[in-house]
Amino acid sequence: VRGSFRGPLPILFGFVLIDVLGFSLILPLFPFLSRQYGMTPTQIGLLQTSNALAQFLAVPLIGALSDRYGRKPLLLLCIFGTFISFLMLGTATTTFMVFLSRILDGLLGGNISLAQAYISDITSNKDRAQGMGVLGAAFGVAFILGPAIGGTLAHWGGYHWPSYLAALLSLINLVSVVFLLQESLPYEKRNHKSSFLDTFQDLYKCFKDPTLRRVFILRFLSGSVFTLWESTFGFYNKGRLQLDARSSSYLLTLFGIVYAIAHARIKSLLKKTNEDFLQQVSFGVLAACYIVSGLTSNTLQHALVLIPLAIASGVSYNLITTKVTKQVQQSQLGSALGLSASLGSLTRIVAPLIGGILIDFGGDSSPAVLCGATSLFLLTSEFSHQKRF
């Protein structure tokens, strides 16, 4: 199957688009849960942390199980869990039900890492970045459309309607995967083990591998930087630039459009240079853009900085994910990508807390400075590593 991936690719693009669109539909709802359910800001923060923590614990196991039983059965399980969780959120009448819905979504939140494993199954190393770029483009498009649609539905129909639409989209995904998507991991290439406990050993082996562990550190640090910037973006716009929520959302839309284009055009970039050099360039651009973004004094300056920042973010994420898949055998792809996704979930637990502390004690620009400094560290680390090898 490897190297001939254009058949399943549109289906996977639609799958990721619908999946992320469903999640992004409910993003605008979180600040208003205090009014709907009497939740405090601390409880809302814990709500989002509970989802990320559940993903952090469960996604590596889901990925490892997909190495053993195939991608499609685990995809169906995760999509069904997403469908139920959105229905629970839409029908919730208590804070407990809201928390339960988000924890369930986190525990069965392996959809994206499983889609990445599927792409890795059906592509060669040469085409891997292009395949991942298509998934990244779908991700970007969904984040452009989702919050706007969710906010509009909540305004005109109430806070339950975005959850119902998200559940409907999940149901469409479930049916599509059942009838349109074939299994990508043949039986003879699966990781057959004698006991369920061997699954945890596979995860340990992935993290124990020094080359793969280095890529995981890159994934965690770069993901933490992006999440830190993203989680404090609104505070900077409000405090430094005096922007309202609508104007801030327009800037995020601009970022999402450019981010999606960067993923879609990754193949043309790789025709002109290699992945290692492009990774170094992306870290350098990120370092400069993060620091400059903390110095902007008006909306136009901020918007202009967001364009190269979005391009470098999209390229960097794509290349790191691709690098993970190239370090392991096909029978370990689910485990490796599950661990990578788990580290992404961990950034959503840690980075927003750090961002809040930085703003409280260092001002609106301090998160951008830390993001820039960390990206500069990643650049020097990557440069010295490539020089040695």
Side-chain angles (χ1 to χ4, degrees):
V1 183
R2 283 172 173 261
S4 177
F5 63 95
R6 296 191 181 278
L9 203 56
I11 301 173
L12 286 169
F13 177 88
F15 165 78
V16 174
L17 177 65
I18 292 174
D19 185 77
V20 180
L21 185 60
F23 168 73
S24 61
L25 278 169
I26 67 170
L27 280 179
L29 304 184
F30 291 119
F32 302 97
L33 292 177
S34 57
R35 184 188 312 168
Q36 186 78 6
Y37 301 102
M39 297 173 65
T40 65
T42 300
Q43 287 176 316
I44 294 173
L46 287 172
L47 176 66
Q48 297 183 67
T49 298
S50 67
N51 177 267
L53 183 59
Q55 280 197 357
F56 170 71
L57 296 173
V59 171
L61 180 59
I62 290 172
L65 289 174
S66 78
D67 289 335
R68 185 177 181 183
Y69 298 107
R71 314 298 183 207
K72 187 171 179 176
L74 273 298
L75 264 175
L76 292 173
L77 174 64
C78 289
I79 298 170
F80 182 73
T82 301
F83 168 68
I84 296 298
S85 71
F86 283 141
L87 274 185
M88 290 175 62
L89 184 61
T91 57
T93 56
T94 65
T95 301
F96 174 77
M97 287 183 66
V98 173
F99 267 88
L100 194 60
S101 73
R102 302 311 300 146
I103 291 172
L104 175 63
D105 183 64
L107 289 174
L108 294 174
N111 306 19
I112 301 302
S113 62
L114 289 173
Q116 291 172 340
Y118 194 109
I119 282 287
S120 300
D121 289 337
I122 64 173
T123 55
S124 63
N125 284 348
K126 180 181 177 182
D127 294 324
R128 188 74 44 77
Q130 181 188 1
M132 293 297 177
V134 172
L135 296 188
F139 203 96
V141 170
F143 264 97
I144 295 167
L145 300 175
I149 297 173
T152 302
L153 279 175
H155 176 75
W156 293 106
Y159 298 130
H160 297 295
W161 285 104
S163 302
Y164 291 146
L165 179 57
L168 176 61
L169 291 174
S170 298
L171 185 60
I172 293 172
N173 249 352
L174 188 66
V175 174
S176 299
V177 170
V178 169
F179 292 105
L180 299 179
L181 203 63
Q182 297 181 351
E183 176 57 58
S184 64
L185 187 62
Y187 182 82
E188 63 273 11
K189 293 186 178 181
R190 295 178 189 177
N191 191 7
H192 300 288
K193 296 293 182 180
S194 58
S195 73
F196 184 76
L197 291 177
D198 288 325
T199 300
F200 294 95
Q201 294 179 1
D202 292 335
L203 293 172
Y204 175 72
K205 288 177 182 177
C206 281
F207 201 78
K208 190 178 179 181
D209 180 88
T211 304
L212 196 54
R213 185 168 63 243
R214 183 181 174 278
V215 181
F216 285 149
I217 292 172
L218 277 181
R219 169 74 177 94
F220 176 72
L221 289 178
S222 62
S224 296
V225 165
F226 180 77
T227 307
L228 174 61
W229 173 81
E230 182 187 40
S231 64
T232 57
F233 182 76
F235 290 101
Y236 182 86
N237 292 340
K238 181 181 178 182
R240 182 72 175 266
L241 303 180
Q242 302 297 308
L243 298 181
D244 58 16
R246 184 174 63 175
S247 300
S248 187
S249 69
Y250 290 159
L251 288 176
L252 272 180
T253 299
L254 170 66
F255 182 92
I257 292 171
V258 179
Y259 184 86
I261 294 173
H263 275 284
R265 302 299 297 171
I266 188 73
K267 183 179 181 180
S268 62
L269 290 173
L270 289 174
K271 285 181 179 178
K272 301 175 182 178
T273 184
N274 60 65
E275 292 182 14
D276 292 330
F277 179 73
L278 193 57
Q279 182 71 80
Q280 293 174 26
V281 171
S282 67
F283 282 147
V285 173
L286 286 171
C289 288
Y290 280 131
I291 292 173
V292 173
S293 71
L295 302 174
T296 54
S297 57
N298 60 62
T299 306
L300 178 60
Q301 291 175 358
H302 207 49
L304 290 175
V305 174
L306 288 183
I307 295 173
L309 180 60
I311 295 172
S313 296
V315 169
S316 176
Y317 178 82
N318 183 304
L319 293 178
I320 291 174
T321 303
T322 301
K323 192 173 291 187
V324 170
T325 68
K326 291 182 178 181
Q327 303 300 323
V328 295
Q329 299 176 350
Q330 189 176 8
S331 61
Q332 294 178 304
L333 278 170
S335 299
L337 288 168
L339 280 170
S340 179
S342 177
L343 292 172
S345 300
L346 184 60
T347 67
R348 289 165 41 213
I349 300 171
V350 176
L353 176 61
I354 295 174
I357 294 172
L358 284 173
I359 289 176
D360 281 339
F361 294 97
D364 296 325
S365 298
S366 55
V369 173
L370 180 58
C371 289
T374 308
S375 297
L376 188 60
F377 167 77
L378 290 172
L379 170 62
T380 56
S381 173
E382 189 73 0
F383 180 78
S384 62
H385 176 77
Q386 294 303 326
K387 195 172 181 180
R388 286 199 306 270
F389 297 95

